[in-house]
Amino acid sequence: MDVRTTRLTAAYFLPVLGLLILTGVFVAFTAYWSATETDDDSIQRETTLVRRLLDQRIADVTKNQQTSTTWDDAVDEVLGPRHLDWLDANLGVWMHTYFGIDRVFILDGGDHSIYAMIGGTRLAPDTYFSHAATLAPIVAQLRRLRRTAASLDDAPTFVRRYVLLENRPAVVSAAAIISDTGKIHQAAGQEPVHVAVEFLDGPFLSKLASDFLIRNPRFSWTGHLGPHEAAFPLATDGTDIGYLLWTVQQPGMKVLDRMVPILAGAGTVILLLAGLLLFRLYRTTRKLVSSQRQIEHMAHHDALTGLANRFSFDQRLEHRLQEFEQTKRSFAVLYLDLDRFKDVNDTLGHQAGDELIRQVAARLLSLVSGEDMVARLGGDEFAVLRDAVTDRMEIEVLSRRIVEAIQSPFEVAKQQVVIGISIGVAIAFRDTLTQLDLVRRADVALYRVKSSGRGGYVIFEEQMERLGFGGAMREISRPG
């Protein structure tokens, strides 16, 4: 190599080679940094969503349980003759069949076991005592909280905790069996208690994965992460009982792994490959965003009807109350409970019941404006948030239209089905309310309808606040 060649190499090729090497290093660093940032963001978002979905599913255990434990018939049956077939069909085996609850125990006011169900089979009541060391403290906590509450209205109706039972993670929900109408007198803290146990491994995780597209969920004692996994602890009273782990989406590293061999073998086209990498990252990120939107939609909406769920309804109500404090623009909350829905489930089956729920949701949506929210709170319970209210008559008209619409026959399983609906209404007019106050007022009005024969609506009167929710209530309005 002569001097001119050496000089040309030194003057042109070496700088270009150095620039290519520096460009390659910069591209490699940028690609790695982008991948890790994308993955970190993905893990944070997915962890938040999975935690929210798990909390929602755990809360469903209690909501499903209380569809039967807050019921006059349940109180009468547990305190009275205790027909085992009735207990199977309403408080025990039925809860395993319909809701997937693994174990049920019913205790009387003295904490004596009167019923036991495990895995869909009724067993001897004394089966409870092999579980008592784990379950009895939860029942005792519920009784203590109910005895020491300032009033019966303030007393909690359930206590729910994570536990280790038979070396398996489980959620335990202890609910007082109480009157839904208030007509049956019960001493606070001495009511019968319904204990529901659902294990968090096995079928629970499989259903969580299929319902919400969570990949490979599993339970771990240590929280030790495998490749591409995330986790958070299952904690109760400050004590971790283990960790929920699942495989997270890591689009950044996935793309980077695929591109490394290409980058290594194509140094002369490094800039082109860098552009391709960024394009692949962009496409993968779009897929990630689409998947996350789907998961987030599931977290805020009821899977059966597509309506807003309880979590989304509570958020909207909290936001509307904050706006009300500033603008005083009135709105209303309607709590709706279907009448005779359980009869449809029992006679036509749960698939027919699900179809009926979907048709009810469609009718409710057709009766409200685009600014209003219709939500399914669980089971046969719905809620409507009326965004703006000019006067009481407007709400009466809406309530009457809902009652009349639901009373019209439905076509389910090639049969005509007739049901009814009870509505409790609370209107935010002049006084500034908390979310708890407004919901409690709607609940009081709803219970008044249900205890007076169902099939109508009641609008909570402001003076009821001064009269202890008992007087100054207008007559139950029943269209037709």
Side-chain angles (χ1 to χ4, degrees):
M1 182 179 296
D2 59 24
V3 175
R4 287 180 298 177
T5 302
T6 302
R7 288 178 179 178
L8 184 62
T9 301
Y12 294 101
F13 291 100
L14 290 181
V16 170
L17 178 60
L19 180 60
L20 288 174
I21 292 174
L22 289 176
T23 302
V25 171
F26 175 76
V27 170
F29 172 79
T30 302
Y32 179 80
W33 178 83
S34 298
T36 55
E37 287 294 307
T38 300
D39 290 345
D40 289 345
D41 184 60
S42 172
I43 291 172
Q44 291 177 6
R45 291 187 181 183
E46 196 166 326
T47 299
T48 300
L49 288 172
V50 172
R51 185 187 291 270
R52 185 179 299 168
L53 292 170
L54 178 66
D55 290 344
Q56 174 186 326
R57 187 54 57 88
I58 294 303
D60 284 344
V61 173
T62 301
K63 287 187 288 187
N64 294 335
Q65 176 189 34
Q66 291 190 309
T67 59
S68 295
T69 58
T70 305
W71 187 17
D72 283 357
D73 290 359
V75 177
D76 290 337
E77 189 68 29
V78 172
L79 296 180
R82 299 176 186 168
H83 298 111
L84 294 179
D85 289 341
W86 191 96
L87 294 178
D88 283 342
N90 295 274
L91 295 173
V93 175
W94 177 76
M95 288 196 169
H96 173 79
T97 303
Y98 191 59
F99 297 127
I101 293 176
D102 294 302
R103 301 185 182 184
V104 167
F105 303 98
I106 302 176
L107 311 179
D108 63 15
D111 287 341
H112 301 109
S113 176
I114 62 175
Y115 179 87
M117 182 279 293
I118 294 180
T121 302
R122 183 208 312 159
L123 300 178
D126 59 8
T127 307
Y128 168 75
F129 296 106
S130 63
H131 301 67
T134 301
L135 305 185
I138 303 174
V139 176
Q141 182 183 8
L142 173 62
R143 295 195 186 281
R144 183 173 62 256
L145 292 174
R146 290 188 61 79
R147 283 196 305 268
T148 57
S151 67
L152 193 59
D153 287 338
D154 295 331
T157 58
F158 71 92
V159 168
R160 184 174 61 240
R161 290 172 57 184
Y162 290 118
V163 300
L164 286 177
L165 185 63
E166 297 175 357
N167 213 31
R168 297 173 64 189
V171 59
V172 175
S173 178
I177 301 177
I178 56 178
S179 169
D180 60 334
T181 64
K183 293 181 178 179
I184 303 176
H185 175 72
Q186 295 172 276
Q190 299 180 17
E191 303 94 342
V193 174
H194 184 277
V195 182
V197 179
E198 185 160 354
F199 289 104
L200 302 182
D201 52 7
F204 180 89
L205 289 184
S206 298
K207 194 169 190 310
L208 193 69
S210 63
D211 287 351
F212 301 117
L213 308 180
I214 300 172
R215 298 170 58 195
N216 306 320
R218 64 186 179 91
F219 180 78
S220 170
W221 300 108
T222 63
H224 178 71
L225 298 179
H228 312 297
E229 286 189 328
F232 60 80
L234 302 177
T236 182
D237 294 337
T239 302
D240 294 344
I241 65 167
Y243 298 82
L244 177 66
L245 282 71
W246 73 100
T247 302
V248 295
Q249 300 185 59
Q250 292 185 287
M253 284 299 176
K254 184 177 180 180
V255 172
L256 187 61
D257 289 343
R258 291 177 177 177
M259 297 304 297
V260 163
I262 300 174
L263 290 172
T268 58
V269 289
I270 190 80
L271 295 177
L272 178 61
L273 293 180
L276 177 61
L277 172 63
L278 294 176
F279 177 71
R280 292 288 297 274
L281 283 174
Y282 171 74
R283 290 185 58 188
T284 305
T285 301
R286 286 185 59 186
K287 291 181 181 178
L288 171 65
V289 170
S290 176
S291 175
Q292 289 174 336
R293 284 176 179 170
Q294 183 179 4
I295 294 175
E296 191 165 358
H297 177 84
M298 291 178 178
H300 288 81
H301 293 77
D302 174 58
L304 179 62
T305 63
L307 297 177
N309 60 16
R310 182 182 293 272
F311 176 82
S312 185
F313 180 82
D314 289 344
Q315 278 193 327
R316 175 76 174 271
L317 178 56
E318 180 181 3
H319 176 76
R320 188 63 184 84
L321 278 168
Q322 292 172 354
E323 179 185 338
F324 176 74
E325 292 176 1
Q326 302 295 325
T327 65
K328 300 303 179 185
R329 185 168 63 90
S330 296
F331 67 98
V333 172
L334 291 74
Y335 269 21
L336 301 83
D337 190 273
L338 299 183
D339 302 330
R340 301 183 299 278
F341 172 75
K342 188 174 183 298
D343 295 340
V344 177
N345 263 347
D346 292 344
T347 56
L348 300 181
H350 299 309
Q351 289 185 346
D354 288 347
E355 177 57 26
L356 179 58
I357 288 292
R358 284 191 287 266
Q359 293 188 31
V360 168
R363 290 191 186 182
L364 292 176
L365 283 173
S366 69
L367 296 173
V368 301
S369 69
E371 299 299 321
D372 301 334
M373 170 181 274
V374 179
R376 183 186 180 210
L377 304 183
D380 59 354
E381 298 175 357
F382 295 81
V384 174
L385 178 59
R386 186 72 167 187
D387 186 71
V389 176
T390 56
D391 55 34
R392 178 191 175 95
M393 181 61 67
E394 175 186 342
I395 293 302
E396 289 186 346
V397 171
L398 174 62
S399 300
R400 189 177 301 110
R401 290 176 63 196
I402 292 175
V403 173
E404 291 172 348
I406 301 305
Q407 286 177 346
S408 298
F410 292 84
E411 186 75 22
V412 176
K414 299 183 180 180
Q415 298 187 40
Q416 281 200 343
V417 173
V418 178
I419 61 173
I421 194 166
S422 300
I423 305 174
V425 184
I427 305 175
F429 263 131
R430 290 173 293 277
D431 53 331
T432 301
L433 302 172
T434 66
Q435 182 172 348
L436 178 61
D437 289 334
L438 198 60
V439 167
R440 183 163 54 91
R441 289 182 177 189
D443 260 331
V444 168
L446 177 60
Y447 283 130
R448 181 63 180 270
V449 180
K450 292 168 64 176
S451 64
S452 301
R454 307 174 185 262
Y457 65 90
V458 162
I459 299 178
F460 187 94
E461 298 285 359
E462 293 179 2
Q463 54 265 45
M464 291 178 62
E465 201 71 47
R466 301 189 295 273
L467 298 176
F469 303 103
M473 174 83 79
R474 296 193 179 183
E475 290 300 319
I476 310 301
S477 299
R478 295 188 173 90

